[in-house]
C-alpha cells in the first residue's frame, strides 16, 4: 500500500513537474486508477470546414483549447454541424497495466474515429459510431469503446474525430477492463430494472386493451413502447441487441421512437383528460401537435437526422407544457384522476425539458442531466399507470352508482306500473262499458237510418211511378194531336211538338238519375246488360239536351267502333252527367267536344270516351275531390247543382269495370274527363 501511494504521489509530482517544466500534462494512467476522466487533460477544436485530416490536425496543437463551461468529464457542442477534434495526451505509469479501454459514453454519435501514431510514423485509425455496423466496431459494448494497448511508462497523444447529425455530447473515460466490467454490472442492473418495468407496464396494459377494448390502454401501451425503444436506442442497447448491422434503422430509431411516443401520448392525453369537451381551445393545440408527431413518425425516416432530432425535441417540449396546462385545467374542472396525470407529466416535463436543454448545449452534461429522461419517464409511466387504475376505480364507482340508481328506478317503475295497471284495468272496464253503450246507440241509429233509406227509396219509387203515369198520358196526348193533323202541321206546331217530346225525354232522364243516385248504396244492384252501339248512344244523348246545348256539343266518333256490352240506361245517365257538367261550366258561346275511340288499358281492349270543355278548368289538388258525393268546388259556387253528377258517373263507370278520371291540363285550356270502358264487362262491385 505504501509503495502504491508513493507511486501515485510520484506520478502526480511528475505530472506537476512536467507542467512546471513546460511539458504537456497528460491523463495519468496508474495501476491504482481503474478509471480516469480524459477531459481533465484534453483539448478540443471545432473544424467547421470539415476538411482537415489527422496530419494537419496533429501539426497544429495550438488550435486546441480546454473545453470550457461544459463540466469536467464531457464536451457538449449541442446541435452543431462542425467536426469535433479532441486531443487526449496520456502518461502511462510505470506500474500501469498494458490493456486499457477508451469509452465514449454517448452511443448515438454517428462517427467516432480514434487516431494513434505508430512507430512507423503512420497514423492508424479505428472507427466506431452509430452509423458503423456492429460487426465492424472494435469492441462489443452498448457504448462506443476503443481498446488501447499502452506501454507502461510511455507518453502518447490520442486524437478523436467526432461527427454526428444529432447532439454532440462526448463523455470520455479511460478504464481498466476489469473496472469497466464492474461498472457495467451496476449499469445493466439499473437498465434491466427500468426496461423490465416498462415491459411489465406494456404487457399489462396491452392485456387490458385486449380484454376491455378501450383505446385508452392501447395509446398508453404505444407510448410505453415508443419511450422504451427510444431510450433503448439512446443507451446503445438497440444496436447491441436489436438492430445489429442495420445502421440506418438504428440511427433513425431514437427520434422515430420518441415521435411515436409523443403521438401516442397526445392521443392518450386527449382521451384521458377529455380535452375536446373540457378545453376546446387547448384541444385544437393538442390536435396540431398530434398531427406534427404523426408527420414525424410517418415520414421521419426520410428526413435529415439533424432536422428530425430538432423537430422531435422541440415538439416534445411544447407538448409537455401543453399537457401540464391541460391537466391543471382538468384538475380545476373536478377530474380526480388528473392529479396523478399532472404529477406524471410534470416529472416527464422536467426530464424532457432538461434533456432538450442539454441537447441544445444550454445545460452541462453530467450524471443527472444524462439520466433525467429515464428517471422522469419511469416515474411518469408509473404515475400514469396509477392514474389509469384510479380511472378504473372511478368508472367502477360510477358504474355502482349507476347500478344503484337503475335498481331504484326499476323499483319505482315496477311500483308505477303496478299502480298504472290497476288504473288501466279500471279505465278499461269503464271504457268497455261506454263502448258497449255506444255500440247499442250506433246499432239503433243504423236501424233508424236503414228504415229511413228504405222509406226514402219507397217514396222515390212511388213518386217516380206517380210522375211517370201523367208523363205517359202527356206523351200519348201529344202523339194523338200529331196524328189528328191529317195535313202536315205548320212549322211552328212541329217545333212545339218537338220541344214537348224533348222535355218529356229530359224529365224521364232526370227520374232515372234520381232513382240511380238513390241506389248507389245498394250492393246487389242488378244491371240489364245488352249490346250497345256507341253511335246510337251518343244520338240518344243529343236528344236529351236542349237545342242550344245540342248545338254546342261536337261529337267525334272513330270509324269502326265495336259494340259495347253494358246497361244502356246507366251508360246514358253517365254520359249525360259528364256532358251536362262540361256544358254547365263552359261559356255559352264555346264548344264541348265528345270524342270516342278504341284503346288498351293495362293490356286490355276497351273504349276511351273523352269530354273536353273550355271552362275554368279543375283547380290543382281537386282532381279526385270532384268525384266525391255532394262536393262542389268553391270556384263554381255560383253555378246550380247538388254535387252528385260526377259521383254518379264514376259509380256507373266502375260498375262496368271501367275507369273515370281527370286528364290534367293547364287551367286556362279547360277540363278533360276521360272514361275507359272494357269491351267485355268485368265483375266489379
Amino acid at each position: 500500500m505504501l509503495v502504491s501511494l508513493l507511486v501515485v504521489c510520484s506520478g502526480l509530482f511528475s505530472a506537476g513537474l512536467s507542467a512546471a517544466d513546460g511539458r504537456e500534462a497528460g491523463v495519468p494512467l496508474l495501476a491504482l486508477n481503474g478509471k480516469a476522466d480524459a477531459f481533465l487533460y484534453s483539448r478540443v477544436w471545432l473544424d467547421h470546414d470539415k476538411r482537415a485530416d489527422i496530419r494537419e490536425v496533429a501539426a497544429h496543437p495550438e488550435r486546441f483549447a480546454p473545453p470550457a463551461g461544459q463540466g469536467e468529464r464531457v464536451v457538449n457542442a449541442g446541435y452543431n454541424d462542425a467536426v469535433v477534434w479532441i486531443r487526449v495526451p496520456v502518461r502511462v505509469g510505470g506500474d500501469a497495466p498494458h490493456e486499457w479501454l477508451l469509452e465514449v459514453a454517448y452511443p448515438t454519435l454517428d462517427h467516432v474515429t480514434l487516431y494513434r501514431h505508430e512507430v512507423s510514423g503512420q497514423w492508424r485509425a479505428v472507427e466506431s459510431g452509430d452509423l458503423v455496423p456492429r460487426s465492424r466496431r472494435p469492441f462489443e459494448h452498448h457504448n462506443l469503446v476503443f481498446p488501447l494497448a499502452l506501454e507502461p511508462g510511455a507518453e502518447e497523444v490520442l486524437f478523436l474525430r467526432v461527427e454526428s447529425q444529432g447532439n454532440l455530447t462526448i463523455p470520455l473515460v479511460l478504464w481498466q477492463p476489469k473496472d469497466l466490467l464492474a461498472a457495467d454490472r451496476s449499469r445493466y442492473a439499473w437498465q434491466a430494472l427500468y426496461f423490465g418495468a416498462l415491459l411489465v407496464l406494456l404487457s399489462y396494459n396491452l392485456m387490458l386493451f385486449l380484454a376491455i377494448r378501450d383505446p385508452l390502454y392501447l395509446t398508453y401501451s404505444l407510448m410505453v413502447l415508443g419511450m422504451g425503444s427510444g431510450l433503448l436506442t439512446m443507451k446503445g442497447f438497440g444496436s447491441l441487441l436489436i438492430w445489429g448491422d442495420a445502421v440506418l434503422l438504428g440511427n433513425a430509431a431514437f427520434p422515430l421512437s420518441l415521435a411515436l411516443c409523443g403521438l401516442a401520448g397526445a392521443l392518450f392525453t386527449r382521451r384521458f383528460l377529455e380535452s375536446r369537451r373540457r378545453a376546446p381551445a387547448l384541444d385544437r393545440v393538442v390536435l396540431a401537435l398530434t398531427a406534427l408527431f404523426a408527420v414525424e413518425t410517418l415520414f421521419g425516416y426520410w428526413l435529415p437526422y439533424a432536422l428530425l432530432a430538432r423537430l422531435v425535441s422541440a415538439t416534445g417540449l411544447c407538448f409537455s407544457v401543453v399537457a401540464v396546462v391541460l391537466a391543471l385545467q382538468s384538475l380545476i374542472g373536478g377530474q380526480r384522476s388528473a392529479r396523478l396525470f399532472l404529477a406524471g407529466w410534470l416529472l416527464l416535463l422536467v426530464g424532457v425539458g432538461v434533456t432538450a436543454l442539454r441537447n441544445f448545449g444550454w445545460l452541462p452534461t453530467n450524471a443527472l442531466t444524462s439520466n433525467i429522461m429515464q428517471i422522469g419517464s419511469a416515474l411518469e409511466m408509473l404515475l400514469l399507470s396509477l392514474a389509469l387504475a384510479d380511472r378504473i376505480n372511478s368508472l367502477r364507482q360510477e358504474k355502482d352508482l349507476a347500478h344503484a340508481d337503475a335498481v331504484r328506478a326499476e323499483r319505482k317503475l315496477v311500483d308505477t306500473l303496478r299502480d298504472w295497471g290497476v288504473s288501466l284495468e279500471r279505465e278499461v272496464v269503464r271504457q268497455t262499458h261506454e263502448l258497449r253503450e255506444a255500440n247499442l246507440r250506433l246499432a239503433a241509429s243504423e236501424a233508424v237510418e236503414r228504415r229511413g233509406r228504405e222509406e226514402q227509396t219507397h217514396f222515390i219509387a212511388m213518386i217516380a211511378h206517380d210522375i211517370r203515369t201523367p208523363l205517359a198520358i202527356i206523351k200519348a196526348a201529344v202523339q194523338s194531336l200529331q196524328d189528328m193533323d191529317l195535313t202536315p202541321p205548320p212549322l211552328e206546331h212541329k217545333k212545339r211538338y218537338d220541344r214537348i217530346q224533348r222535355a218529356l225525354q229530359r224529365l224521364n232522364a232526370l227520374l232515372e238519375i234520381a232513382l240511380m243516385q238513390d241506389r248507389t248504396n245498394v250492393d246487389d244492384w242488378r244491371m240489364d246488360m245488352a249490346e250497345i252501339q256507341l253511335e246510337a248512344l251518343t244520338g240518344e244523348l243529343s236528344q236529351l239536351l236542349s237545342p242550344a246545348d245540342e248545338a254546342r256539343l261536337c261529337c267525334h266518333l272513330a270509324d269502326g267502333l265495336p259494340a259495347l256490352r253494358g246497361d244502356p240506361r246507366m251508360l246514358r245517365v253517365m254520359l249525360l252527367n259528364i256532358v251536362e257538367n262540361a256544358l254547365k261550366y263552359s261559356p255559352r258561346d264555346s264548344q264541348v267536344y265528345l270524342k270516342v275511340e278504341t284503346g288498351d288499358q293495362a293490356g286490355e281492349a276497351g273504349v276511351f270516351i273523352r269530354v273536353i270543355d273550355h271552362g275554368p278548368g279543375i283547380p290543382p289538388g281537386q282532381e279526385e275531390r270532384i268525384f266525391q258525393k255532394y262536393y262542389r268546388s268553391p270556384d263554381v259556387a255560383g253555378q246550380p247543382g247538388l254535387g252528385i253528377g260526377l259521383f254518379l258517373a264514376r259509380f256507373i263507370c266502375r260498375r262496368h269495370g271501367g275507369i273515370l278520371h281527370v286528364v290534367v291540363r293547364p287551367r286556362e285550356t279547360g277540363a278533360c274527363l276521360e272514361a275507359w270502358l272494357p269491351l267485355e264487362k268485368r265483375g266489379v262491385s
Side-chain angles (χ1 to χ4, degrees), residues 85-112:
W85 287 90
I86 304 174
R87 190 173 187 275
V88 186
V90 295
R91 296 171 58 88
V92 186
D95 62 341
H98 182 71
E99 300 293 333
W100 289 83
L101 297 173
L102 176 61
E103 180 190 37
V104 182
Y106 202 73
T108 59
L109 297 171
D110 292 344
H111 294 280
V112 179

Side-chain angles (χ1 to χ4, degrees), residues 44-49 63 75 77 80 82-85 168:
V44 178
W45 175 56
L46 300 182
D47 179 14
H48 294 280
D49 295 333
R63 294 177 178 175
V75 63
N80 202 314
V83 172
V84 179
W85 287 90
L168 286 169

Side-chain angles (χ1 to χ4, degrees), residues 255-550:
L256 287 178
S257 298
L258 293 185
L260 174 63
C261 177
L263 174 61
L267 295 173
F268 175 84
T269 300
R270 289 190 71 232
R271 188 174 183 87
F272 187 88
L273 296 180
E274 300 175 350
S275 59
R276 185 177 180 181
R277 178 176 62 87
R278 294 178 179 272
L282 280 177
D283 181 70
R284 289 191 287 271
V285 178
V286 175
L287 275 177
L289 293 173
T290 303
L292 187 56
F293 275 129
V295 171
E296 294 166 358
T297 304
L298 296 175
F299 305 104
Y301 185 81
W302 295 276
L303 292 176
Y305 182 90
L307 175 62
L308 179 62
R310 288 171 171 83
L311 277 176
V312 172
S313 296
T315 310
L317 184 60
C318 293
F319 173 68
S320 299
V321 175
V322 172
V324 170
V325 175
L326 187 58
L328 282 172
Q329 189 167 345
S330 299
L331 184 61
I332 295 173
Q335 187 177 3
R336 190 184 70 176
S337 54
R339 295 176 297 175
L340 294 172
F341 182 92
L342 177 61
W345 277 100
L346 280 174
L347 291 173
L348 183 64
L349 176 62
V350 172
V352 171
V354 171
T355 302
L357 293 176
R358 180 186 65 81
N359 288 342
F360 283 104
W362 300 337
L363 284 179
T365 302
N366 49 44
L368 179 61
T369 59
S370 298
N371 297 292
I372 190 66
M373 187 73 173
Q374 274 189 293
I375 297 171
S377 64
L379 294 175
E380 188 255 356
M381 295 297 177
L382 178 61
L383 289 173
L384 288 186
S385 182
L386 293 176
L388 282 174
D390 183 69
R391 183 175 182 269
I392 294 175
N393 290 331
S394 300
L395 292 176
R396 184 182 294 112
Q397 292 175 3
E398 292 176 2
K399 182 179 178 181
D400 293 340
L401 291 175
H403 179 69
D405 292 339
V407 170
R408 287 194 296 269
E410 183 178 0
R411 291 175 180 172
K412 185 177 180 180
L413 178 61
V414 169
D415 295 339
T416 303
L417 287 176
R418 187 185 300 112
D419 297 339
W420 183 74
V422 174
S423 301
L424 179 61
E425 184 177 359
R426 295 173 181 170
E427 184 66 19
V428 167
V429 172
R430 187 181 67 82
Q431 293 285 353
T432 303
H433 178 69
E434 293 180 357
L435 181 60
R436 188 181 298 112
E437 293 181 350
N439 286 334
L440 293 175
R441 291 193 298 269
L442 180 60
S445 298
E446 289 179 350
V448 172
E449 182 182 359
R450 191 181 306 111
R451 286 195 301 271
R453 284 202 304 269
E454 292 174 354
E455 292 176 358
Q456 179 184 3
T457 302
H458 178 70
F459 175 76
I460 292 176
M462 183 178 63
I463 292 298
H465 179 270
D466 291 344
I467 292 177
R468 279 175 177 169
T469 299
L471 285 178
I473 295 173
I474 295 172
K475 184 175 182 180
V478 171
Q479 186 64 40
S480 298
L481 289 174
Q482 287 180 328
D483 294 339
M484 288 173 64
D485 287 331
L486 299 178
T487 60
L491 182 60
E492 182 65 28
H493 289 182
K494 187 178 184 305
K495 288 183 179 180
R496 290 180 181 179
Y497 289 151
D498 291 342
R499 199 156 36 240
I500 293 173
Q501 290 286 356
R502 286 178 182 271
L504 291 174
Q505 292 175 356
R506 174 68 175 165
L507 191 54
N508 278 320
L510 291 177
L511 285 174
E512 289 179 354
I513 292 173
L515 289 173
M516 288 183 186
Q517 184 272 329
D518 182 66
R519 297 180 60 191
T520 54
N521 296 320
V522 180
D523 296 333
D524 58 349
W525 189 4
R526 185 176 62 84
M527 297 171 59
D528 298 325
M529 307 299 290
E531 295 291 333
I532 303 173
Q533 297 297 327
L534 293 173
E535 294 86 349
L537 184 64
T538 55
E540 293 177 6
L541 174 65
S542 298
Q543 295 298 321
L544 297 176
L545 300 175
S546 65
D549 288 341
E550 183 181 4

